Amino acid sequence: MKNGENKKINQLLTTGNKILKILFVLFIILLIYVLTLIVREWKILSLIGRILSIISPLFFGWFIAWLLNPIVNKLTEKGVKRGLSVVFTYLIMIIVVGTILFFTISSLGSQIADLVSTLPGIATDITEKINDIFAKLSDLSLENLDNIKASFMLKIQTYLTELQTGLPSFAMNIVAGLASGIGKIVLSLILGFYILYDFDKVSGTFIEFFPKKAKGEVSYLLGKINETLYSFVSGTLWLSLLLFIVSVIGFSLIGLNASVLVSFVCVVTNLIPYVGPYMGAIVAGAIGFAQSPAIGILTLIFILVVQTLEGNILQPLVMSKKMNLSPITIIISLLIFENLFGILGMVIATPVVALLKIVYVFLDEKFDIFGFADKN
């Protein structure tokens, strides 16, 4: 009897632990939901945005130093003095970034103007194709077909009108933003230079705020976060630069209008997992088919080839995008972050969730919340 009672007690304890874990997960979900409502109601994001805007030179300076520090460390390991390594690395970065911006911005304005001038022709082509489609559908004697056609045509015309008026202002906003932000950019570069020179000391200062007993664990956690984040960010930047150059060359050879602008859109959307490449392909394909069917087909074929090479060859060689996250987790995070932060949220969703998982695994290893560490 005692063995039977012990089994029942163990089963009850096991069931109780599972229920507690489920309740804990539900509590975390509820807490996140409540915090989201508070953030929206109190407009905390706008306040955070203002604070970040004020301290943005310091943040971007640290970000530049963080990206360049491994390169400087490699140079110092080969016997080059720290100061000289910092100066050399900084000069190379400024030359590369300056060259890219010079050629990109100088051609971006003219390409946007060319694209705006072709929009009426694109609108005419789209209208004719839609009329042909509805003409074929009219043979089916569908109800309210004329109303559906009128509503659909109105939305297309509204979108194209907004695009035609919005692109020039978009270009002017970019130029105005760069002009007004020159001071912040210069200040960021200066701060980044000094932070890079004493990067280890600056990083160590943050750990000093924690108690002595926690310094080792904090250092371990920050090391894990830094390793994952640096691998993702640096790899993404190099891969995006490579894709941008390849796309500009490819689209230019095909004869696609606004090749620089379309390449930029494709690179930005490519940062969004799963859906991003299709978003870029839709934009490029629409512009290509508006020019001619041949250019549209060649554009889609080029994007398919580039995406295949990027996913199977370039990505494994240049970077590791493996964030150890399931597709379901990534998709859910994309939906949540898009709702909170828009397109930018979709771009940062994967690395942010990956970092949260690192923190979770660390806490689970320390406090054995779910026994996740024991299963891996």
Side-chain angles (χ1 to χ4, degrees), residues 90-128:
Y90 236 68
L91 286 176
I92 296 298
M93 178 202 68
I94 291 173
I95 291 172
V96 172
V97 174
T99 303
I100 294 171
L101 289 177
F102 175 78
F103 286 105
T104 301
I105 294 175
S106 61
S107 60
L108 190 60
S110 61
Q111 291 195 4
I112 289 177
D114 293 339
L115 183 60
V116 170
S117 65
T118 60
L119 282 177
I122 295 174
T124 302
D125 292 339
I126 293 175
T127 302
E128 291 177 354

Side-chain angles (χ1 to χ4, degrees), residues 7 43 45 92-93 122 147 237-238 282 322 326 368:
K7 287 182 179 180
K43 298 180 179 180
L45 290 179
I92 296 298
M93 178 202 68
I122 295 174
N147 293 334
L237 289 176
W238 282 111
I282 290 171
K322 296 178 180 178
S326 67
D368 192 23

Side-chain angles (χ1 to χ4, degrees), residues 247-256 259 262-263 266 284 299 302-303:
S247 298
V248 170
I249 295 172
F251 290 148
S252 299
L253 292 175
I254 291 171
L256 185 70
S259 58
V262 176
S263 298
C266 288
T299 299
F302 173 76
I303 291 176

Side-chain angles (χ1 to χ4, degrees), residues 241-252 263 302 306 314:
L241 176 60
L242 184 59
L243 286 175
F244 179 75
I245 295 172
V246 171
S247 298
V248 170
I249 295 172
F251 290 148
S252 299
S263 298
F302 173 76
V306 169
L314 296 179

Side-chain angles (χ1 to χ4, degrees), residues 292-310:
S292 71
I295 292 179
I297 293 171
L298 288 174
T299 299
L300 293 180
I301 292 174
F302 173 76
I303 291 176
L304 177 63
V305 172
V306 169
Q307 290 298 330
T308 302
L309 292 174
E310 186 266 344

